[in-house]
Amino acid sequence: MSDMAAWLLVWPVAIPLIGSALAIALWGRPNAQSAIGLIAITLQLVASLALLGHVWTNGPIAMSMGGWPAPFGIALAADTLGAGLTVAASAVALAILVYGLADTNIEQRRAGIIPLLLALMMGVAGAFLTADIFNLYVWFEVTLISSFGLMVLGGRREQLDGAVKYAFLNLLATTLLLIAIALLYGMTGTLSMADLSGKVANLPDDAPVETIALLFLVSLGMKSALFPLHFWLPAAYHTPLPTVSAIFAALLTKVGVYSLLRVFMIVFPDGGEIAREAMVWIAVATMIVGALGALAEADIRRVISYTVMSGVGVMVGGLAIGTELALIGTTFYIIHSIIVSAALFMAAGMVARAGGGTRIGDLAGLYKGAPFIAVAFLISGLSLAGVPPLAGFWPKVYLVQAGLQAGEYAIVAGVLASGFLTLILVGRIFALVFWREATDGARVTAADTASTSSANDSTLLKSALGALAALTFVIGVYSVPVVDMSSRAAAELLAPEAYIEAVFQSPAQTAAADTDSAEAPR
Amino acid sequence: METILAILVGFLFAISVYLLLSGSLIRLILGVFVLGNATHLLIFVSGRLTRESPPLIDKGLKIAEVGIANPLPQALILTAIVISFSLFAFLLVLSRRAYRTLDTVDTDEMRIAEPEPDTQPMRGRDV
C-alpha cells in the first residue's frame, strides 16, 4: 500500500473541518457560507467515494497519526463498513444541505447553521473512520457539541425544552462511554481497537470484562436510543428546524449503532455474553416500543422520531444475532435508514410548509396541492415499513432469514411486527394527511400557501426530497451493489484480521502530525 | 493510594448519581459536573499511580529502569477536561436560557415539547 493511498483516510474528516473553519471566518455572510458548505460536503462525498473505492479493491487501510507506530499512535482506519457509511452519510448530508438552503431563512443561516453542520459531518466521519477507542469518544463529543448548537438554532420555547433533555441525557451517555473506556484502558493498557481485540481475549478470568461490555452497551445504547434509554429522542427530535431534524435522524443514532458494531465485533469478539444476551431483548423491545410509541402520536414529526427508534432496534437485532447474514442485514439497514429517516423528516418539513403544521388531525387533502410530497412520503414510508421492492425490504429479508437460522425467533417476530405497525402508521398518515378530502374550509391546503414560498426554494426542496426517495427506490430495485458492500462489511466484521493487520502496518506519517493535532486534540 | 482514590471515585459517583436523580436543573448541572470530575479521576487511577518519577527514559535505554509515571492518562484527562468544561459551559447557558424562557427549573414541568396528548391520533378535529 502506498503512503499516498493512506491519505485518503484524512480527507473525509479534514474537508469538513476546513470548510467549517472557513465558514466561521465568513461569519455573517450566509451566502458565502452556503457555497462553502455545498463545496465542502460535495468534496467530502468525493473523498469518501475514493476511500471506499480503495478499500474495495485493496482491503482495509489505516494511517497512524504523528508517526507513532501502532498501537501507540492514534490511527485512522477504514474497512468497508466505515468507508461505506461515510459515503452514505456524506451523500445524504448533501441532500439535506440542499434542502436546508431552501428551507432555512437568512436569519437562521446567519446564526451559523452551515459551520455547525460541517462540524457535525466532521464528527460523524471521524467516528466512522477512527481506529482508536478514546478518539471515538472525542468524535462523539465533536458531534454532540455541534448538534447542541443545531438543536437550539432558532431558540423557540419548544426547542429549548427539547434541548435540555437532549443535552443532559446525551452528555451523560458520553460520560458513561468515557468511564467504560477508562476501565478498559486500566485493564489492558491500550486504546487502539485493533490492539484491544487481542488483549481483551487474553485477560485473566477474573477481569470484569462482562461489566465493561455492559457499560459499553448502556452508554452506546443511550446514544443510539435503545429501549429503555431512548427517552431523549422522542423528546427532542421533533423540535428543531426540519433540516436539523433530518440530519439528526439520519446520522446521530447510526453513529451509536456503528460504535456498538465496532465494540462488540472487534473489541469484545468473544466476551460480553451477558451484554449479548441482553441485547436480543433490548433490540426486540426497542422495535416494538418504538412502533407503538409512533402509533400513539398525533404529530407527524413525533411519529417519525419514534420510527427512527424502532429502526435502531432492527439494526441492533442483527448485531444480537451476530451471524454473517444478520450483519449483512444490519449494515444494509443502517444505509437504508440513513436515507429514509432524512427523507421522512424532509417530507414532514414540507408538509408543515404546505399545510401550516404537522399535527395529523389538522391536515387533509394535501395530495391535491402537493402531489410530489405525497408520493415521496409514500415511497419513503413504505420503504421504512419494508415493502418490496423498496430498499427497506431487503435488509429485513436478511435479518428474518438470519433469525430463523440462528433460532432467534423473538427478533424475527420483532422485525415483522414492527414492520407491520410501521405500515399502519405510514398508511394512516398518508390516508389522513394526503388522501382525505379537505371538507373543512378552515383547513389550509397547499394551493393556498404555495405562493408564499418562492418557486426556486420549492424546486430545491423537491429535488432534495426527490433524490432521497428515488435513491431508496433504486437501491430497492437494484440492490446488488449495496448487498455486495454489506456482505463484505459483514465478513470483515466477523474476521477483523485484515483490519487489525492494516492498523499495525499503517505507514507512519510524520507529516501528518499537524493534521492530527488539529483534528483530535489530545 | 489507588485504593483510597478508587473509594473516592466511587464516593463522587454516588454524589453525582444522587444529584442527577433530582428534578431540578441546578442539581442536574452539578451532578454532571461531579460526574465529569469523578471520571477524570478514574482515568487517572486506571493509568496506575507512580510518585515522583517523571516519564523520561535515560539516553540509550529503550525502557525505563524504574517505574515512571504514565503520561497517557494525563493526556486523556486533559482532553476530557477541555471537552467537559466546554459542554458544562453550554449546559449552564442552556439552563439559564431555559429558565428565562420556560420560567421553571423543574424538569417535571418542562412539558412544552411533549405536551399531554389532547387528541387521539386517529381522530382529527372533526372526523
Side-chain angles (χ1 to χ4, degrees):
Chain A
M1 175 180 34
S2 71
D3 282 6
M4 282 317 289
W7 278 90
L8 283 174
L9 274 165
V10 176
W11 293 116
V13 184
I15 290 168
L17 171 68
I18 298 167
S20 182
L22 281 177
I24 289 172
L26 292 169
W27 195 261
R29 294 175 61 186
N31 290 334
Q33 286 186 338
S34 308
I36 287 171
L38 280 175
I39 294 169
I41 300 286
T42 312
L43 286 178
Q44 190 193 23
L45 176 60
V46 172
S48 37
L49 277 171
L51 177 65
L52 179 63
H54 186 84
V55 169
W56 187 257
T57 39
N58 300 325
I61 58 168
M63 177 178 182
S64 192
M65 296 293 152
W68 296 92
F72 306 110
I74 307 168
L76 288 180
D79 55 2
T80 313
L81 180 67
L85 291 184
T86 315
V87 170
S90 46
V92 171
L94 185 61
I96 293 172
L97 184 63
V98 170
Y99 179 91
L101 292 183
D103 191 56
T104 53
N105 61 34
I106 199 92
E107 287 312 315
Q108 287 157 343
R109 263 176 283 160
R110 217 181 272 279
I113 190 167
I114 301 284
L116 286 169
L117 205 76
L118 289 174
L120 183 83
M121 286 312 294
M122 167 176 77
V124 169
F128 285 153
L129 295 178
T130 185
D132 182 284
I133 200 156
F134 187 82
N135 213 213
L136 182 70
Y137 157 77
V138 174
W139 291 125
F140 262 119
E141 296 285 26
V142 169
T143 317
L144 195 62
I145 195 134
S146 29
S147 74
F148 285 170
L150 289 169
M151 187 90 212
V152 295
L153 211 78
R156 288 180 297 111
R157 283 161 60 84
E158 197 187 49
Q159 267 176 301
L160 287 169
D161 186 6
V164 166
K165 292 152 193 173
Y166 176 81
F168 274 100
L169 289 176
N170 269 284
L171 194 56
L172 196 60
T174 41
T175 310
L176 287 175
L177 178 65
L178 186 59
I179 294 169
I181 292 170
L183 292 173
L184 193 61
Y185 172 73
M187 276 192 336
T188 58
T190 183
L191 292 164
S192 160
M193 286 198 252
D195 198 26
L196 280 169
S197 185
K199 288 202 169 149
V200 170
N202 292 330
L203 281 174
D205 286 342
D206 60 346
V209 177
E210 295 293 338
T211 314
I212 294 177
L214 275 172
L215 207 50
F216 271 107
L217 179 63
V218 169
S219 58
L220 294 172
M222 205 159 160
K223 298 289 310 178
S224 27
L226 285 177
F227 177 84
L229 305 165
H230 64 274
F231 294 102
W232 58 272
L233 193 149
Y237 268 28
H238 61 290
T239 59
L241 304 172
T243 316
V244 174
S245 290
I247 198 144
F248 280 14
L251 299 179
L252 294 189
T253 49
K254 276 67 175 187
V255 178
V257 175
Y258 166 83
S259 309
L260 277 174
L261 280 172
R262 269 277 177 268
V263 166
F264 279 91
M265 298 311 294
I266 294 197
V267 178
F268 300 105
D270 303 312
E273 290 309 319
I274 302 172
R276 274 165 214 273
E277 194 90 355
M279 215 187 284
V280 174
W281 296 103
I282 290 171
V284 175
T286 310
M287 294 179 221
I288 300 301
V289 171
L292 290 179
L295 213 52
E297 287 299 336
D299 180 292
I300 301 179
R301 295 178 75 183
R302 299 202 68 190
V303 171
I304 303 169
S305 302
Y306 270 108
T307 60
V308 169
M309 175 194 160
S310 173
V312 168
V314 177
M315 295 170 218
V316 175
L319 172 61
I321 299 172
T323 60
E324 185 163 359
L325 214 53
L327 292 172
I328 295 174
T330 295
T331 312
F332 197 155
Y333 199 92
I334 296 177
I335 294 170
H336 145 75
S337 174
I338 287 178
I339 299 167
V340 166
S341 314
L344 285 172
F345 265 111
M346 285 181 183
M350 288 165 79
V351 166
R353 279 177 159 251
T358 48
R359 295 182 62 83
I360 297 172
D362 294 347
L363 294 160
L366 278 185
Y367 184 82
K368 216 174 254 171
F372 185 87
I373 307 175
V375 171
F377 178 86
L378 191 64
I379 291 178
S380 313
L382 291 180
S383 182
L384 185 74
V387 174
L390 299 163
F393 172 66
W394 302 109
K396 288 192 177 171
V397 171
Y398 282 103
L399 285 170
V400 167
Q401 199 181 344
L404 290 177
Q405 277 178 9
E408 297 284 5
Y409 300 112
I411 290 180
V412 175
V415 169
L416 295 177
S418 72
F420 178 65
L421 290 174
T422 310
L423 192 61
I424 295 177
L425 292 168
V426 172
R428 191 174 70 193
I429 294 180
F430 186 77
L432 292 179
V433 173
F434 293 104
W435 207 243
R436 178 168 59 156
E437 281 291 329
T439 46
D440 187 345
R443 281 191 185 122
V444 192
T445 55
D448 303 327
T449 49
S451 53
T452 57
S453 63
S454 77
N456 193 20
D457 280 0
S458 145
T459 318
L460 279 181
L461 294 175
K462 278 183 184 169
S463 59
L465 175 61
L468 292 188
L471 195 59
T472 193
F473 179 75
V474 170
I475 290 179
V477 176
Y478 183 60
S479 60
V480 176
V482 181
V483 169
D484 282 352
M485 204 189 87
S486 307
S487 311
R488 178 86 75 89
E492 283 172 359
L493 279 176
L494 283 170
E497 286 80 14
Y499 179 85
I500 293 167
E501 201 177 315
V503 172
F504 275 100
Q505 290 182 345
S506 54
Q509 298 276 357
T510 38
D514 296 339
T515 326
D516 176 44
S517 59
E519 278 165 14
R522 260 223 184 149
Chain B
M1 193 63 193
E2 270 137 357
T3 319
I4 298 170
L5 278 178
I7 293 168
L8 178 62
V9 169
F11 186 63
L12 288 176
F13 277 143
I15 292 176
S16 73
V17 168
Y18 174 74
L19 288 171
L20 284 169
L21 289 175
S22 152
S24 156
L25 273 188
I26 310 293
R27 287 184 175 215
L28 281 172
I29 293 177
L30 291 174
V32 167
F33 188 64
V34 175
L35 183 69
N37 282 322
T39 312
H40 301 157
L41 202 55
L42 173 72
I43 301 174
F44 191 58
V45 181
S46 63
R48 308 300 187 273
L49 305 176
T50 318
R51 290 189 67 181
E52 289 162 12
S53 42
L56 298 170
I57 299 171
D58 290 333
K59 215 172 188 181
L61 293 177
K62 290 243 170 184
I63 50 169
E65 283 176 313
V66 290
I68 54 169
N70 185 352
L72 183 61
Q74 307 188 17
L76 301 184
I77 295 169
L78 197 60
T79 312
I81 286 176
V82 173
I83 292 175
S84 68
F85 176 72
S86 57
L87 290 176
F88 180 69
F90 178 85
L91 282 188
L92 270 181
V93 176
L94 177 70
S95 303
R96 186 182 143 81
R97 249 326 261 289
Y99 171 62
R100 297 190 65 162
T101 317
L102 309 173
D103 212 27
T104 176
V105 286
D106 187 350
T107 45
D108 289 337
E109 288 171 20
M110 294 190 175
R111 295 297 304 257
I112 296 170
E114 289 181 291
E116 294 283 349
D118 53 343
T119 45
Q120 300 289 319
M122 268 310 283
R123 297 178 59 83
R125 268 201 303 241
D126 52 356
V127 171

